Amino acid sequence: MFNISPLLRKLLVLLLFLVLQAGAVVMLVNNSYFQQNAILGFIRARQIRWWERRSSWVAFTNLKEINQQLALENNRLLNDIARLTDPSAEKIIRTEDSVSLRDSFSYIPARVIRNSVNRQHNFLVIDKGTQDGLEQDMGVISSRGIVGVVSHVSDHYAMIISLLNTQQRFTAELKKSGTFGTLRWDGLDYRRVFLSEIPQHIEISVGDTVVSNVFSLIFPPGIPIGFVKSGSLKQGTFLELEVELFEDFKSLHYVNVVSHDGAGEIRQLIEDQQEEDL
Amino acid sequence: MNDFLKYFLRFIVIMAVQLLLFDGLNLGTFLYPMPYILFLLLFPCTYPSWLLMLWGFAFGIGLDMLSAGIMGLHTASLVMLGALRNSMIKIIAVKGDFDDLSVPGFRLFGYARFTLFVLMSVAVHHLVYFNLESFSFFLFWQTFIRLLCSLALNVFLVLLFKRTFFERRR
């Protein structure tokens, strides 16, 4: 073939190696994950059909547990209805001009067709998309806690960054004191996460419930997430709490996507403010 | 050309098995089955390493795009393995061991040396993969244990598949 000196040849091979490796690392750092849908939409659609078939089989084998979950949720909803239809509670019915009406949440049920718990960056795929009213940055919950946030939507499917993703942070608060902190996953155990940046004067006992934060734009307030298992002082300033999740991500089959009517408006407001500050 | 076709067919089959079977297995945080590493180990001993790197790059990109994960992880690991594979063959081979056509395998190197070769190859791949995945030394020991567990599993799987499907019996 080519008649080149061995040294030059070695240099060329090294150069090729550096170029290929740099290409891979650039992809990694840019995290161009979601451009894949544009490039490979065709294959994705078929692949999703395969995932769907697989997940429906898995869901079938787990029917008993799912039934239990649904029964629990039904029970909770029935209690809510009973409370709301109670004549003595009539005063909480909202009127047209009430402010809280604009701040309402609605739910879109969806089925999980792809899920993982054993990577450092876990994603879910659900069978609802833009045609069902999904948008980017919507929250996703299940009957047992928060699940994640919608990161990319196609016509019929949506991709969700799971709570079990080491690069994703959520805010959560302690139900008892209302103190909020950052919820993150350390990539190790899919049953527990960490709630950090809790001031050390807050009194905490094992078993305290951790719920979603009132200031969150994507989740309704007060969704239970887990309970405190242990705590430790980090860097001498803040408490870090180990939180055991109510959610079992390994047996997650049905979720609800949260649509918050006011979220877009509030985000716009914050962006405007930030632009003014600049 | 015939050879290229053979490699391409292998490419498709091994990727399909990885995507349809092994990517769907949930074995916990510590075990991630990646027997696709075998793909690069099946090329002949004297196959030029720049071609190995290109094959690795193509395979990695395909896998990264089709599996639900982060772009570039498999690609970086396979390119690194492609670059180092031939040097590792040189480490374990004795002079006169192979000619241009021989493929690394149990019969060529014997059980002990071939296992060592697979162990080194999978270790190179995993070192890149797990360190890039966690992308920091913050969780060093955790990453290290994940690496070791997956290493044991994948060396076993690669040897098993090599023995079962790619070793010519006579």
Side-chain angles (χ1 to χ4, degrees):
Chain A
M1 218 165 53
F2 308 107
N3 209 356
I4 45 177
S5 73
L7 184 67
L8 192 61
R9 200 187 167 79
K10 257 182 196 162
L11 278 175
L12 281 176
V13 170
L14 184 69
L15 195 68
L16 179 71
F17 170 70
L18 288 177
V19 168
L20 293 181
Q21 200 66 306
V25 172
V26 164
M27 280 191 290
L28 192 87
V29 173
N30 284 352
N31 209 348
S32 59
Y33 179 75
F34 300 113
Q35 289 157 16
Q36 294 165 39
N37 272 17
I39 307 166
L40 281 162
F42 178 77
I43 301 173
R44 267 258 181 267
R46 256 137 209 85
Q47 194 185 13
I48 279 174
R49 216 165 294 155
W50 155 262
W51 288 346
E52 200 166 16
R53 218 169 292 157
R54 193 176 162 278
S55 82
S56 68
W57 184 73
V58 173
F60 178 74
T61 57
N62 283 339
L63 274 181
K64 198 178 162 195
E65 200 185 327
I66 291 166
N67 262 337
Q68 251 166 4
Q69 274 176 42
L70 289 177
L72 274 177
E73 197 172 359
N74 263 343
N75 184 33
R76 210 191 70 220
L77 293 175
L78 282 174
N79 284 339
D80 280 356
I81 289 172
R83 193 167 47 78
L84 288 171
T85 48
D86 183 2
S88 66
E90 208 139 77
K91 57 181 179 294
I92 68 160
I93 289 177
R94 289 159 181 168
T95 52
E96 269 307 314
D97 58 351
S98 110
V99 177
S100 57
L101 192 68
R102 282 202 198 95
D103 202 35
S104 63
F105 294 91
S106 52
Y107 302 91
I108 306 157
R111 195 160 68 83
V112 178
I113 60 176
R114 175 77 174 176
N115 186 14
S116 69
V117 297
N118 59 345
R119 314 287 164 75
Q120 299 290 290
H121 314 276
N122 292 302
F123 296 92
L124 294 95
V125 181
I126 58 172
D127 66 346
K128 291 277 153 54
T130 37
Q131 301 211 335
D132 309 283
L134 260 67
E135 283 164 33
Q136 212 176 335
D137 291 336
M138 280 180 170
V140 180
I141 61 171
S142 77
S143 53
R144 290 180 297 190
I146 67 173
V147 172
V149 54
V150 176
S151 68
H152 191 262
V153 205
S154 67
D155 281 355
H156 301 286
Y157 298 98
M159 200 130 231
I160 294 158
I161 301 180
S162 168
L163 172 63
L164 304 181
N165 192 317
T166 50
Q167 279 173 356
Q168 186 66 31
R169 302 278 191 275
F170 293 95
T171 41
E173 63 179 31
L174 289 157
K175 194 179 183 181
K176 202 166 65 178
S177 59
T179 326
F180 63 92
T182 310
L183 201 66
R184 63 168 186 83
W185 187 52
D186 67 339
L188 193 58
D189 184 354
Y190 71 97
R191 293 310 308 265
R192 59 152 176 65
V193 293
F194 289 93
L195 183 66
S196 53
E197 288 156 41
I198 298 289
Q200 42 173 313
H201 67 268
I202 304 293
E203 263 181 50
I204 287 151
S205 48
V206 171
D208 282 358
T209 313
V210 175
V211 298
S212 62
N213 189 257
V214 186
F215 307 125
S216 167
L217 289 182
I218 56 176
F219 297 116
I223 299 271
I225 296 168
F227 61 86
V228 176
K229 215 172 155 194
S230 66
S232 62
L233 202 60
K234 280 283 137 92
Q235 293 163 344
T237 47
F238 286 107
L239 286 171
E240 186 175 76
L241 308 175
E242 189 183 350
V243 178
E244 174 129 7
L245 292 173
F246 294 132
E247 182 63 75
D248 180 0
F249 275 84
K250 240 180 182 168
S251 62
L252 187 63
H253 298 292
Y254 293 94
V255 293
N256 282 304
V257 182
V258 183
S259 154
H260 182 189
D261 292 343
E265 212 173 314
I266 298 172
R267 271 198 203 104
Q268 188 62 44
L269 207 58
I270 294 170
E271 264 172 38
D272 288 352
Q273 181 63 43
Q274 275 167 350
E275 271 167 29
E276 262 172 47
D277 286 352
L278 280 174
Chain B
M1 204 56 212
N2 198 10
D3 272 348
F4 180 82
L5 217 67
K6 193 170 82 185
Y7 300 148
F8 190 68
L9 212 70
R10 237 181 236 162
F11 183 102
I12 305 280
V13 170
I14 294 182
M15 187 173 301
V17 169
Q18 175 69 29
L19 285 171
L20 298 180
L21 182 61
F22 289 103
D23 254 29
L25 282 181
N26 256 343
L27 299 179
T29 319
F30 290 103
L31 295 171
Y32 180 22
M34 294 186 269
Y36 71 81
I37 300 167
L38 181 61
F39 174 68
L40 279 189
L41 306 185
L42 288 173
F43 286 93
C45 296
T46 52
Y47 205 71
S49 57
W50 62 275
L51 266 175
L52 273 179
M53 281 189 257
L54 284 180
W55 274 113
F57 191 76
F59 195 93
I61 283 225
L63 207 57
D64 278 327
M65 281 182 172
L66 295 176
S67 68
I70 279 193
M71 210 46 200
L73 263 180
H74 294 294
T75 318
S77 329
L78 278 177
V79 168
M80 181 64 92
L81 175 58
L84 295 180
R85 193 203 76 148
N86 286 354
S87 325
M88 286 185 298
I89 288 184
K90 268 180 207 145
I91 294 176
I92 57 147
V94 180
K95 221 170 193 176
D97 240 358
F98 56 81
D99 52 40
D100 280 0
L101 291 174
S102 30
V103 172
F106 292 105
R107 271 198 314 136
L108 190 66
F109 294 132
Y111 275 80
R113 279 193 292 150
F114 184 66
T115 307
L116 182 66
F117 168 64
V118 171
L119 182 72
M120 287 194 296
S121 305
V122 179
V124 165
H125 175 279
H126 280 25
L127 271 174
V128 179
Y129 184 90
F130 285 103
N131 282 312
L132 278 184
E133 192 190 26
S134 58
F135 220 75
S136 68
F137 291 105
F138 172 57
L139 296 163
F140 179 80
W141 288 111
Q142 182 191 316
T143 308
F144 189 67
I145 293 167
R146 292 180 69 215
L147 196 157
L148 284 188
C149 293
S150 292
L151 180 71
L153 175 71
N154 287 323
V155 168
F156 172 73
L157 286 176
V158 168
L159 289 174
L160 186 75
F161 283 122
K162 170 74 183 162
R163 187 89 185 85
T164 323
F165 300 113
F166 297 101
E167 188 83 358
R168 216 164 284 158
R169 263 155 276 177
R170 203 165 284 166

